[in-house]
Amino acid sequence: MPDLGGVPIDPSDEAALQAALQKRIPDQAAYQRLLASVQAGTACMADIAAFAERPYGTVLLHRPAGFFPAADLAPGPRSAGEKAARQAVDAGACAADLSSLHVLGLLADDDRLRIRSALPSLTVARSAVDDALLTRDHVRNLSAATYTASLAPDGIIDRTTITTTEQGLLRTRAETLETITAAAHAGRPTTPVAAAADAIAVARENQLPLWCDDIALRQKARMAGVATFSLLDLITVLAADGTALGQSATFRRLAGQYVVDLPLSAADITAIIADAGWQPGPAHAALARSAGFLFAESVSA
C-alpha cells in the first residue's frame, strides 16, 4: 500500500491514488514553486508542512526539497549567528526549533551529548512536542506501506519503494526527534500558531536566543528581533572554547545526511562520495550547491 497519511489505497486503482494525491496537494505548480523557494532559502521548510498539511517533523524527515538548507557561510549571517551562539553558550540556555533538534539527532552520540551539556536549558514550543508525537505516529503508519507516491508536475504518479532499511532509519530518526524534544522544557507562547512560528514567539517572549537550522526561518526570527544561530555557528563557538568536537568528521556526517552549505574541503567531498559507494547522493548535493545550482529529488507523499 502507498502511504497517504494512513489512508489505504488499492495500489492497482490508479484513479483513486491520483485523486487522493491531488486532494492532498491540489495545486502541484504552487507546490513545486514552494520547493524551489525552500531550495533558494527564501521559504521555510515549515512552509512545506503548512502547505501539505503535514507535521513539520515529517517534512524534516522526508526532506522534500532534497536537502537541509541549514547553514549560511556569508560573513554577515555568520557573525550574527556566532554572536547569538556565544550568548546561548554563556547563558547555558536557548530556545530551539524542530529543525535544529532533528539535525542534532543526526550527530554522533558523543557530539550530541557535548552540545546538550553546553546548553543544559533548552526550551521548545509546546506545539513542537505535539508535532514530534504526530511525526512518530506518521512514521509508524509508514511501516505498513511498500512505497511512497507523489504527483509529478505533469500529473504522472511517481512511486518510490521503501526498503526495510529505510523504514528502520525513519523510525529511528522519528523516535530520536521525539526523545530530544520531550527532554526539553516546553513553553507556550501567548498566541500559539504552529511549531516553527511558536519557536520564534517562545524565544522572543522569554528573551532567549533561538537555535534554528533553516536559513529562511532564521531570517524571520531576526526580523522579529530574535537573535538566532545555526548548528554550524554553535559548533564554531564551542570549538573555540575547546570543546572536543571533530569538526571535519561532524561536517562530513551532516553532509552525508543532505545538510548543505557546510565548510567542506575537497577531501571531505571525496570521502562522502566514497561512503555512498561512488553513487549519486549527498556529495552531489553539496557540489551542486557550491556550484550555484540546486539539487532536488522526488517528494515522498
Side-chain angles (χ1 to χ4, degrees), residues 9-15 147 159:
I9 299 292
D10 183 348
S12 65
D13 191 339
E14 291 282 316
Y147 65 86
R159 291 175 171 83

Side-chain angles (χ1 to χ4, degrees), residues 68-142:
F68 293 100
D72 194 331
L73 298 179
R78 280 286 277 153
S79 177
E82 289 177 20
K83 182 178 179 181
R86 169 54 63 195
Q87 178 185 345
V89 170
D90 287 348
C94 70
D97 175 59
L98 274 180
S99 62
S100 292
L101 301 186
H102 174 59
V103 174
L104 178 64
L106 300 179
L107 297 179
D109 291 344
D110 287 348
D111 287 342
R112 190 185 313 159
L113 289 172
R114 290 186 182 101
I115 288 172
R116 283 296 283 116
S117 295
L119 296 171
S121 179
L122 199 63
T123 300
V124 300
R126 176 66 224 183
S127 53
V129 179
D130 297 337
D131 191 287
L133 290 172
L134 290 173
T135 297
R136 179 205 62 190
D137 292 343
H138 163 82
V139 171
R140 287 179 177 175
N141 290 337
L142 191 63

